[in-house]
Amino acid sequence: MSVCGIPKCVWNVECYAQDGVGYRGNQTSGTQNGNTYTCQNWSRDFPHPHIYHPSPSNTALYGIGQHNKCRNPDPRNAALPWCYTTSFMVRYVYCNQIPFCEKTNLPVFHF
């Protein structure tokens, strides 16, 4: 509860719903072809330059911040959380270890 008695918004961190835009969990790696890759910090452009840096709108809409957690700031082109990698050879990976909420028994809240 917040100070004024109104419940705080709680993001589901165990799974992602719909296109993963609302995912705010702590996953920091993804897999591709059986290999696991660590996510690049969203505030960095190395080794992969990108346009999804922390900003008031990117933080509010997509959870982009000073971290390397999986997010989906591009729902028109991706259907689940993803991240840029720290590998020079792999630009990005999908964070496919995160379960899809609708396939679990976890509650899903749509805002």
Side-chain angles (χ1 to χ4, degrees):
M1 289 287 214
S2 67
V3 177
C4 63
I6 299 172
K8 290 182 180 179
C9 181
V10 178
W11 294 99
N12 190 318
V13 297
E14 297 179 49
C15 61
Y16 75 93
Q18 298 170 333
D19 56 14
V21 167
Y23 174 72
R24 298 296 184 270
N26 294 317
Q27 183 71 37
T28 58
S29 64
T31 60
Q32 181 176 298
N33 298 325
N35 297 310
T36 299
Y37 296 93
T38 300
C39 295
Q40 172 181 307
N41 192 304
W42 290 100
S43 63
R44 306 243 164 111
D45 278 318
F46 185 81
H48 304 290
H50 62 90
I51 60 171
Y52 302 111
H53 297 96
S55 68
S57 61
N58 280 345
T59 298
L61 294 172
Y62 307 115
I64 300 296
Q66 303 287 332
H67 59 73
N68 69 332
K69 298 173 184 172
C70 297
R71 298 292 184 257
N72 186 5
D74 190 15
R76 287 183 284 165
N77 294 305
L80 67 157
W82 59 275
C83 66
Y84 293 104
T85 77
T86 57
S87 169
F88 288 100
M89 304 305 288
V90 178
R91 182 165 170 78
Y92 69 92
V93 289
Y94 292 106
C95 301
N96 46 19
Q97 309 94 311
I98 304 166
F100 186 54
C101 295
E102 283 81 350
K103 292 185 179 180
T104 70
N105 291 324
L106 297 167
V108 178
F109 302 97
H110 298 285
F111 299 95

